[in-house]
Amino acid sequence: MDVEREQRRLAVLREYHLLDAPADDELEAVVRVAAAVAGVPTATLNLIDENRQCQLTTVGFPGADSPRAESMCAIRFEAGEFMYTPDASRDPIYRTNPWVTGDRAGVRLYGSAPLITPDGYALGSLCVFHDEPGTLDAAQVARLRDLASVILALFERRRQARINRELALVAEARQRWTDTLLETIDVAVVAADQSGRLTVFNRAAREWHGLDADPTLDPHEFADRYQLYTTDGVTLLPPAQLPLLRALRDGTVENAELIIKRSGATPIHATVSGRALVAPDGTPMGAVVAMTDVTSDRAQQRAIEAARRELAAANEDLRRSNTELTNFAGAVSHDLVAPLSAVRGYLELLEDEVTGEHRTWVDACCRAVNRMRDLIDSLLQYARAGSAPIHRVPADLGRIADEVLADLQPAVDEASAKVTVPAPLPEVSCDPVLARQLLQNLIANAIKYRHPSRPCRVTVTAARAGDGWSITVADNGIGIPPDKRRRVFDMFTRLDDTPGGGHGIGLSSCLRIVDRHGGAIRVEENPGGGTCVIFSLPD
């Protein structure tokens, strides 16, 4: 079953307000005629909702609701075709139905004309049947179809009558309250007849202008009499720009703006919308406009525009800063890494030439060079994480994790660590290069800060979270104290009691990457001991 279409069908059925409502005399008469046309003693008008068959009116037997699953009419009524069988007990479609087997009835001759709306939705069927086998000729089938069409017409007339009654009640209520509403609302409403003479001037309009409506006033004098100015607050509105006259002339006016100056009061900045008034027979009747006070809104808008300009300037400074950071990263790569490599090369030559205390000095120099090189690499990663262009594409996180583990294999082997991905990782929307850097930093940290008294174990998992994915990198390492779990994402932050190297930049880079993807990252305690780093990647 097409669920969406079934929902629309049920909505149409309920729109007719037929379920659990008594059938009128006309519907009962049509069902009686249907039984006579078919030459059978029993007939029914069935409506099918989501759970039941509702027998709206019947002939020859007392009607009652029954489960939809037991209905004969519900089996094929949505196909829109007349269903007919001379003997339902021999028909493979119907022979096990309770209405055939004797549980509810012993139907043999069966005919059903579907009730199809003009939009093609089946509401139910006009059903004729007999407890004896029989036949229906083509003329009888055609007349039963006609009667089904008559029933649909009666349904539609009944629906339209109900709608008309509701509309009449609404119109009456609106008419009754119009004057009260016009005097109560804080929107200024002004109307004029076809010649432009004022006919309606509600309370808000009188208060804003400080005057009553003058029906004798020439429309060309409106601006001067009622102090209507352009948004500069200096120029009187020309007659051609008066919103009321524009609506009268053009048929409609939308969100025109003007200033209303009042003697001894703060000017009002108003937006005006309106349209021409036309009688049902097409006769022009005039025009009406509604004016809304947007004085405070426009003041806020001006403040927002000023803030936007400041924000644009700040963003430009930020872009310039990012560009400078990128340039700095390039300079570091060329001007610092290359000399360090040369120094490292010379130190390696010296290692083969010196011994004793001199060899200790050379080893210390080598370690210092390595630390400097690691620091430069970390700074470069941090710079790229925040300034490189981000290109989000659907990417296989499992493949990215495999590449990361391949790169980290020496570190994994050295630590005798075991990194597992218990379930396949999903395809996520991300920048694959930055996502790889993110995972590599987190897994490398988990290995680096392993617990000295237990084998290193790292697990990477993913779970659906809202409109994206939540990725968890869990380890059984030394853990992070609760009071320091937020601070570890700050630049150059290292925990005082952590062993191993590091410069406190890796998690800062992770935070930048996640931020740029619109996600969040946090640290939690691993229930088995250690740390869980959890980050989200929205779709």
Side-chain angles (χ1 to χ4, degrees):
M1 178 188 296
D2 185 331
V3 175
E4 183 176 351
R5 179 172 177 80
E6 173 67 4
Q7 292 300 320
R8 291 197 299 268
R9 186 192 74 81
L10 293 171
V12 172
L13 173 61
R14 294 189 177 96
E15 173 63 22
Y16 282 93
H17 289 208
L18 295 166
L19 292 169
D20 303 314
D24 54 29
D25 294 341
E26 292 174 323
L27 290 174
E28 292 177 354
V30 173
V31 177
R32 287 195 298 271
V33 172
V37 167
V40 297
T42 45
T44 178
L45 174 55
N46 293 328
L47 299 176
I48 310 295
D49 68 10
E50 62 266 43
N51 298 316
R52 59 180 173 148
Q53 171 181 272
C54 175
Q55 292 178 326
L56 195 60
T57 183
T58 62
V59 171
F61 73 103
D65 290 354
S66 60
R68 177 173 176 171
E70 298 180 359
S71 169
M72 294 177 70
C73 293
I75 293 176
R76 288 189 172 180
F77 79 112
E78 291 188 87
E81 300 176 358
F82 188 91
M83 299 303 299
Y84 159 63
T85 179
D87 187 349
S89 67
R90 296 178 177 274
D91 191 313
I93 296 176
Y94 300 111
R95 63 188 178 194
T96 60
N97 189 279
W99 288 87
V100 178
T101 61
D103 293 339
R104 285 192 173 273
V107 173
R108 294 299 178 264
L109 170 62
Y110 170 75
S112 175
L115 306 174
I116 307 296
T117 69
D119 293 331
Y121 294 105
L123 307 181
S125 67
L126 173 62
C127 175
V128 295
F129 57 95
H130 200 330
D131 58 4
E132 298 176 357
T135 59
L136 296 174
D137 60 28
Q140 289 174 303
V141 170
R143 297 297 75 77
L144 290 172
R145 285 180 176 274
D146 291 341
L147 290 173
S149 298
V150 170
I151 290 174
L152 256 298
L154 293 175
F155 284 175
E156 183 61 30
R157 190 181 72 178
R158 184 170 172 174
R159 185 182 74 90
Q160 195 59 51
R162 174 179 56 80
I163 292 174
N164 289 340
R165 288 194 301 272
E166 293 172 354
L167 290 176
L169 291 174
V170 170
E172 181 182 349
R174 286 178 177 174
Q175 182 63 39
R176 188 168 58 249
W177 288 100
T178 295
D179 292 339
T180 302
L181 290 174
L182 285 175
E183 292 301 300
T184 302
I185 60 176
D186 292 325
V187 175
V189 178
V190 179
D193 61 20
Q194 185 60 18
S195 66
R197 305 290 177 171
L198 296 177
T199 57
V200 174
F201 221 65
N202 75 337
R203 174 194 58 81
R206 294 192 299 272
E207 291 178 355
W208 291 8
H209 293 91
L211 297 169
D212 288 332
D214 184 354
T216 66
L217 189 65
D218 186 283
H220 290 81
E221 299 176 15
F222 284 172
D224 183 58
R225 177 67 175 272
Y226 296 107
Q227 293 294 286
L228 307 178
Y229 289 82
T230 63
T231 53
D232 64 10
V234 176
T235 308
L236 278 173
L237 271 176
Q241 295 183 25
L242 289 170
L244 184 61
L245 300 186
R246 286 174 56 191
L248 194 62
R249 180 186 69 238
D250 302 332
T252 184
V253 61
E254 296 288 343
N255 297 320
E257 298 197 16
L258 53 79
I259 302 294
I260 302 172
K261 288 189 174 181
R262 303 170 296 171
S263 177
T266 303
I268 293 176
H269 193 140
T271 60
V272 189
S273 296
R275 62 180 58 252
L277 300 174
V278 182
D281 62 359
T283 303
M285 298 177 60
V288 62
V289 294
M291 296 183 285
T292 304
D293 186 350
V294 294
T295 306
S296 61
D297 292 343
R298 292 299 176 267
Q300 291 177 5
Q301 186 175 358
R302 289 191 294 271
I304 289 172
E305 290 299 327
R308 283 177 176 169
R309 289 192 293 271
E310 293 179 3
L311 180 60
N315 284 337
E316 182 58 33
D317 289 342
L318 182 59
R319 281 191 291 270
R320 185 166 52 252
S321 175
N322 283 338
T323 300
E324 291 172 354
L325 183 59
T326 303
N327 294 336
F328 168 74
V332 166
S333 177
H334 180 271
D335 297 337
L336 293 181
V337 174
L340 278 176
S341 298
V343 171
R344 175 62 180 167
Y346 284 119
L347 288 172
E348 289 176 353
L349 294 175
L350 283 174
E351 284 179 333
D352 297 332
E353 301 296 333
V354 296
T355 59
E357 184 179 6
H358 294 162
R359 178 61 179 267
T360 302
W361 295 344
V362 171
D363 290 342
C365 290
C366 288
R367 289 193 298 272
V369 168
N370 289 338
R371 286 196 300 274
M372 178 62 73
R373 184 184 58 199
D374 292 342
L375 175 59
I376 292 171
D377 288 342
S378 297
L379 287 171
L380 286 172
Q381 287 186 5
Y382 183 79
R384 293 190 187 105
S387 60
I390 183 170
H391 301 289
R392 290 182 70 135
V393 296
D396 186 343
L397 196 62
R399 179 176 296 179
I400 293 174
D402 289 342
E403 295 172 354
V404 167
L405 293 179
D407 290 345
L408 292 176
Q409 194 60 49
V412 172
D413 293 342
E414 181 183 350
S416 298
K418 183 178 181 181
V419 182
T420 58
V421 183
L425 297 180
E427 183 179 86
V428 298
S429 174
C430 68
D431 184 312
V433 174
L434 294 179
R436 180 171 176 172
Q437 180 181 341
L438 174 62
L439 275 181
Q440 185 157 333
N441 279 348
L442 295 179
I443 296 174
N445 268 4
I447 296 172
K448 180 184 297 184
Y449 299 110
R450 57 190 179 274
H451 199 284
S453 62
R454 54 179 174 242
C456 178
R457 298 291 182 263
V458 183
T459 305
V460 183
T461 57
R464 197 70 172 154
D467 60 350
W469 290 92
S470 176
I471 316 300
T472 300
V473 178
D475 64 54
N476 63 344
I478 60 176
I480 299 175
D483 60 333
K484 298 180 180 179
R485 288 173 188 165
R486 293 177 62 88
R487 192 163 56 87
V488 292
F489 294 104
D490 295 341
M491 189 71 164
F492 299 119
T493 295
R494 292 188 59 213
L495 303 182
D496 297 335
D497 55 351
T498 56
H503 305 283
I505 299 175
L507 287 179
S508 298
S509 299
C510 293
L511 175 63
R512 292 191 106 190
I513 293 171
V514 173
D515 278 346
R516 297 193 66 200
H517 282 80
I521 187 170
R522 67 185 188 277
V523 173
E524 294 183 358
E525 182 178 2
N526 191 349
T531 301
C532 288
V533 180
I534 305 167
F535 64 90
S536 60
L537 293 176
D539 284 342

